[in-house]
Amino acid sequence: MADLINIKFPDGKSAKIEKGLSGFDIAKQISISLSKTAIAFKVNGKILDLSRTVENDSEIQILTKEDDEALDIIRHDCAHVMAEAVQSLYPGTQVTIGPSIENGFYYDFARKEPFAISDLPKIEKKMHEIINRNEKFTREVWSRDEAIKFFKSKGEEYKVELIEDLKEDEEITVYKQGEWLDLCRGPHMMSTKQIGKGFKLMKVAGAYWRGDSNNAMLTRIYGTAWRNEKELESHLLQIEEAEKRDHRKLGKEMNLFHFQEEAPGAVFWHPKGWKLFQSLINYMRKRQDDAGYVETNTPDMMDKSLWETSGHWDKFSEMMFRTEAKDEKIYAIKPMNCPGAVEVFKQGLKSYRDLPFLLSEFGKVHRYEPSGALHGLMRVRAFTQDDAHIFCTEDQITQESKTVCDLILSIYKDFGFDSVRIKFSDRPEKRVGDDVVWDKAEAALMQAMEATGLEYTLNPGEGAFYGPKLEFVLRDAIGRDWQCGTLQVDLNLPGRLGATYVAEDGQKKVPVMLHRALFGSLERFTGILIEHYAGHLPLWLSPLQIVVATITSESDNYAFNVKDQLTKSGLVTEVDIRNEKIGYKIREHSNAKVPVILAVGKKEADEKTVSVRRLGNQNTKSIKLDELIKSLQKESLSPIN
RNA sequence: GCCGCAGUAACUCAGGGGUAGAGUAAUUCAUUGGUAAUGAAUAAGCCGGCAGUUCGAUUCUGCCCUGUGGCACCA
């Protein structure tokens, strides 16, 4: 009689089973249908292959494709199958690593000739073949020497390096699928067949070995993989949806901005785009004024020596633009506003009674970002920050930080960003200042976080070199995350630049500086808003709010009359009296994302009405002009009114 | 910065060793129409830049610039 062990299922039920049964056996005991859909199982929280056996009392959960954790396994299996496909099609290619990632997987290969997009269909076809062969994934435990010898013989230098770097006591496992095998921790499904057809290879890209730019560049193939073809389809559709929102595309269609060769990474704002930009600044200015900030403006160019004192030259001079004039001084174009802010603070003797001192600046900064990083409005070399520096005492850090958190969340809400995550980044390895001071700063900031009651995640070692920081990540309408705001506790700069205040005891003390930006980069935030709203800006942000389009030229006078009244009421309005059909005008202004289109013809002129058509809405409504003005005026109020 | 891809009319893109083509936009004419494209005609280009190969380069090769997908970076 075999030994029995106790197993417990997630639903609380338990059972006695034979010791040494595999996950698959257990699934089969529960039901045949479960054994058919099972792809892995969890033993005491650890995910294992179904072929693994259970030897002790355990908590067991059978995973099927429906479980999110299973999706990772499907993707990882896909990566293996792709690697086999690639090696069979392109002999001599080395495999390195191939994990599952969000929405899919990738595998990095080392090959003299990088892969091209045109190679992907061929690889995909091969993958289908391998999947249809229904190869069993089998797990084997190898000795370190055996593994090294094997991969060396195959010429897999990268794998050898991986094995050599494994800890002494770590079990070395390989997974086989037919003839092909890979060094892998697992787990995997029972067979390649279970992957099904819900995958697609997406793109090729370069990637550094082990993510280090000093290492060799490998070629990476990305794929996406899902439970079935239907899920794959819907994912592809979602990508298409995101592409439609691309701010670079919409920016052109809406005539907001452009870029050109002569100014890489710098925006040419068109009148409509600039109006939107200004609306954001006006909004932020009001919010900050209300919150007790005073606005300043500091020079765009300052002598290099100031940047040496601040420490920026040392760390970032490579990324700073510089210029010189006749006097042979070297001027740096500011990459940050903080030194300027400190200089303003330093004017006049400050007392502890002046603290906290809230100094804001819409400063335009320039940074020589690496060429490969540039991306539309999202990553540019010249951008405007809604910057502010709060000079305060150490005791005020918590309160001031909390106030900033409250302000930022209230501001994001006004744009429909209700879901905001916060990342707390503490001391990095390379830093300035005593640990005692760091303890204090981190504790104060942490206390502020706790006081807000907001959710946050720890981001260890990611703080600025001068202090810990918070990063505010908002989620847009289609679920993408964008890091925007930041709050940094700076225990370094004020001292370096000689800022002081007179404390209660009459002694001069160095203030703490909180460095914060809420939108972050106005350029970037504009881009995010365009994508978030898919170009359908709310009325208060829309640079052009209304177009009055005539049905026939008979109504031109009435159209101008309507426009005048709308303009007088503070609504930004244009008239379209072109010799075109109304359908044509509607189409054009809809494409340009004009929020309100008013069609006027003989009927409207006679009745003193307009026919209203809202963007994204097929319905039209005929209403009295007065009435419309009242409702649009109300709607176009910015949240600060 | 690194790897790949791309740059052709104002825009979106096709083409390809013998100096260019479509749709949209623009202009002109006709048309005055009821909610996502009225019709016709006209004009429009140093085929990103510089070199090389060639009788001849927009096409092939190299370098550079810019964009783009990733990687790395992001005070």
Side-chain angles (χ1 to χ4, degrees):
Chain A
M1 178 84 186
D3 290 346
L4 293 182
I5 54 170
N6 283 311
I7 58 172
K8 207 172 146 195
F9 296 104
D11 59 5
K13 286 187 188 143
S14 56
K16 276 196 193 306
I17 61 159
E18 257 175 62
K19 182 177 167 178
L21 283 185
S22 73
F24 183 72
D25 295 332
I26 297 170
K28 214 155 64 182
Q29 283 197 0
I30 298 168
S31 79
I32 294 289
S33 64
L34 181 62
S35 74
K36 281 181 182 156
T37 54
I39 71 168
F41 77 135
K42 238 180 181 175
V43 181
N44 296 327
K46 197 172 173 218
I47 302 174
L48 298 174
D49 311 315
L50 284 176
S51 60
R52 302 289 291 277
T53 56
V54 182
E55 307 293 340
N56 301 304
D57 291 358
S58 309
E59 283 184 31
I60 301 266
Q61 183 188 355
I62 306 289
L63 299 175
T64 70
K65 272 197 175 185
E66 299 318 308
D67 295 295
D68 283 342
E69 290 146 313
L71 207 42
D72 269 346
I73 301 176
I74 294 170
R75 288 168 179 162
H76 187 190
D77 286 7
C78 247
H80 274 230
V81 169
M82 178 169 78
E84 180 186 341
V86 164
Q87 286 200 314
S88 86
L89 289 168
Y90 307 92
T93 304
Q94 287 189 59
V95 289
T96 68
I97 54 160
S100 72
I101 51 170
E102 198 184 0
N103 300 333
F105 61 93
Y106 68 77
Y107 213 113
D108 284 347
F109 301 99
R111 180 175 178 243
K112 284 195 197 83
E113 191 82 351
F115 295 104
I117 314 251
S118 52
D119 294 324
L120 298 187
K122 207 160 104 185
I123 299 171
E124 230 172 69
K125 197 173 152 227
K126 193 80 188 174
M127 288 174 70
H128 283 296
E129 275 173 42
I130 295 167
I131 289 166
N132 287 330
R133 279 204 321 250
N134 196 9
E135 300 284 4
K136 296 267 173 290
F137 284 107
T138 53
R139 176 178 184 274
E140 292 180 7
V141 180
W142 285 12
S143 77
R144 174 177 293 254
D145 293 344
E146 190 184 0
I148 291 179
K149 206 174 137 200
F150 175 81
F151 284 106
K152 259 195 183 145
S153 77
K154 290 270 176 187
E156 298 280 7
E157 299 156 28
Y158 290 93
K159 286 289 178 192
V160 172
E161 192 180 323
L162 287 175
I163 298 166
E164 281 169 347
D165 283 358
L166 287 176
K167 286 199 199 88
E168 282 298 329
D169 55 350
E170 203 154 336
E171 200 173 44
I172 293 171
T173 54
V174 299
Y175 278 79
K176 279 188 176 163
Q177 59 207 49
E179 296 298 300
W180 192 85
L181 64 80
D182 194 5
L183 172 76
C184 180
R185 210 173 266 130
H188 284 280
M189 296 194 275
M190 296 286 277
S191 107
T192 57
K193 186 90 185 176
Q194 286 171 293
I195 293 172
K197 292 182 177 174
F199 72 92
K200 184 175 161 57
L201 300 187
M202 302 296 282
K203 52 195 173 193
V204 293
Y208 296 110
W209 167 237
R210 297 195 150 172
D212 184 339
S213 56
N214 297 312
N215 291 342
M217 175 72 58
L218 306 171
T219 132
R220 174 175 296 181
I221 301 179
Y222 281 98
T224 184
W226 299 86
R227 296 179 176 90
N228 50 52
E229 283 171 280
K230 207 174 145 204
E231 278 191 16
L232 171 67
E233 276 313 306
S234 99
H235 174 68
L236 296 177
L237 216 67
Q238 221 179 316
I239 293 175
E240 249 175 71
E241 213 40 57
E243 278 167 5
K244 277 188 204 153
R245 290 169 177 256
D246 191 314
H247 72 283
R248 293 165 300 185
K249 180 174 168 288
L250 289 173
K252 208 173 270 174
E253 287 169 10
M254 295 166 74
N255 193 12
L256 300 176
F257 58 86
H258 85 269
F259 290 91
Q260 65 187 50
E261 264 191 47
E262 291 81 353
V267 190
F268 289 78
W269 285 107
H270 297 5
K272 288 199 172 80
W274 189 239
K275 197 166 170 106
L276 167 57
F277 193 92
Q278 288 300 320
S279 298
L280 291 174
I281 288 191
N282 291 338
Y283 165 84
M284 184 58 81
R285 178 171 284 136
K286 177 75 164 58
R287 294 299 308 257
Q288 289 182 345
D289 287 353
D290 289 352
Y293 289 79
V294 285
E295 191 173 325
T296 182
N297 190 259
T298 63
D300 295 323
M301 283 191 290
M302 293 185 284
D303 191 273
K304 161 172 168 270
S305 60
L306 184 72
W307 303 102
E308 284 167 346
T309 312
S310 73
H312 289 99
W313 195 263
D314 232 20
K315 218 173 147 59
F316 295 111
S317 69
E318 287 290 294
M319 291 183 75
M320 283 163 76
F321 287 95
R322 61 193 76 177
T323 181
E324 48 197 290
K326 262 180 158 173
D327 58 13
E328 288 173 9
K329 281 186 183 180
I330 294 179
Y331 294 93
I333 300 179
K334 68 175 173 185
M336 290 189 83
N337 302 302
C338 22
V342 175
E343 296 306 320
V344 172
F345 176 84
K346 277 161 65 184
Q347 291 306 112
L349 206 53
K350 295 287 185 299
S351 144
Y352 71 94
R353 293 172 191 277
D354 295 319
L355 305 186
F357 188 74
L358 286 60
L359 204 52
S360 69
E361 174 172 12
F362 293 96
K364 188 164 188 179
V365 296
H366 290 72
R367 297 175 183 179
Y368 191 82
E369 300 286 356
S371 56
L374 302 180
H375 178 94
L377 293 176
M378 302 305 188
R379 190 86 180 266
V380 287
R381 286 186 176 150
F383 60 100
T384 311
Q385 292 179 315
D386 58 331
D387 212 350
H389 298 90
I390 299 171
F391 296 86
C392 63
T393 66
E394 282 179 12
D395 293 340
Q396 290 169 333
I397 296 176
T398 298
Q399 180 55 44
E400 288 310 305
S401 299
K402 182 179 180 306
T403 308
V404 169
C405 287
D406 291 343
L407 180 63
I408 203 165
L409 293 179
S410 148
I411 283 171
Y412 288 172
K413 262 205 181 68
D414 281 345
F415 297 89
F417 299 118
D418 294 322
S419 166
V420 180
R421 280 188 309 121
I422 300 175
K423 293 197 285 184
F424 184 102
S425 303
D426 60 13
R427 67 190 80 183
E429 241 168 71
K430 221 185 137 193
R431 59 179 182 268
V432 295
D434 291 345
D435 281 355
V436 189
V437 186
W438 273 92
D439 287 344
K440 212 165 179 176
E442 284 172 2
L445 195 54
M446 186 65 84
Q447 216 177 319
M449 279 303 321
E450 301 289 352
T452 59
L454 298 165
E455 244 183 82
Y456 65 93
T457 51
L458 272 179
N459 212 10
E462 295 293 312
F465 70 94
Y466 47 70
K469 65 178 175 185
L470 301 181
E471 278 158 355
F472 298 82
V473 181
L474 49 83
R475 178 155 294 179
D476 76 7
I478 57 170
R480 295 172 304 178
D481 287 340
W482 303 94
Q483 189 175 307
C484 292
T486 156
L487 167 67
Q488 299 167 7
V489 182
D490 187 346
L491 305 158
N492 176 47
L493 261 188
R496 290 187 80 128
L497 291 172
T500 57
Y501 68 97
V502 180
E504 259 173 303
D505 59 5
Q507 299 289 310
K508 277 196 176 175
K509 283 196 174 158
V510 179
V512 173
M513 184 162 81
L514 303 183
H515 174 125
R516 44 109 293 186
L518 309 188
F519 288 150
S521 148
L522 263 300
E523 280 77 0
R524 178 178 152 86
F525 198 77
T526 307
I528 292 168
L529 283 184
I530 293 169
E531 302 207 354
H532 172 62
Y533 291 125
H536 295 219
L537 296 169
L539 210 53
W540 75 276
L541 284 172
S542 193
L544 171 61
Q545 297 171 314
I546 305 163
V547 165
V548 184
T550 50
I551 308 281
T552 72
S553 56
E554 195 182 15
S555 320
D556 287 359
N557 283 338
Y558 180 61
F560 281 113
N561 187 291
V562 169
K563 184 209 163 193
D564 282 348
Q565 293 190 54
L566 289 166
T567 307
K568 266 185 211 140
S569 314
L571 296 158
V572 187
T573 311
E574 282 177 10
V575 168
D576 184 355
I577 58 163
R578 287 176 305 169
N579 181 8
E580 299 290 353
K581 291 190 174 178
I582 190 66
Y584 180 89
K585 296 182 183 180
I586 299 279
R587 177 183 159 79
E588 211 170 60
H589 297 120
S590 297
N591 283 339
K593 308 283 187 281
V594 178
V596 182
I597 301 171
L598 303 180
V600 296
K602 189 166 184 308
K603 187 171 119 246
E604 286 77 12
D606 290 346
E607 296 170 354
K608 297 278 173 250
T609 60
V610 287
S611 167
V612 187
R613 183 183 168 122
R614 298 298 299 249
L615 181 59
N617 197 332
Q618 306 278 16
N619 306 330
T620 60
K621 197 169 77 178
S622 208
I623 69 169
K624 290 274 182 210
L625 183 57
D626 305 350
E627 215 178 300
L628 176 81
I629 287 176
K630 246 185 256 163
S631 84
L632 287 187
Q633 269 182 325
K634 199 171 153 209
E635 187 185 333
S636 67
L637 284 182
S638 95
I640 49 182
N641 286 307

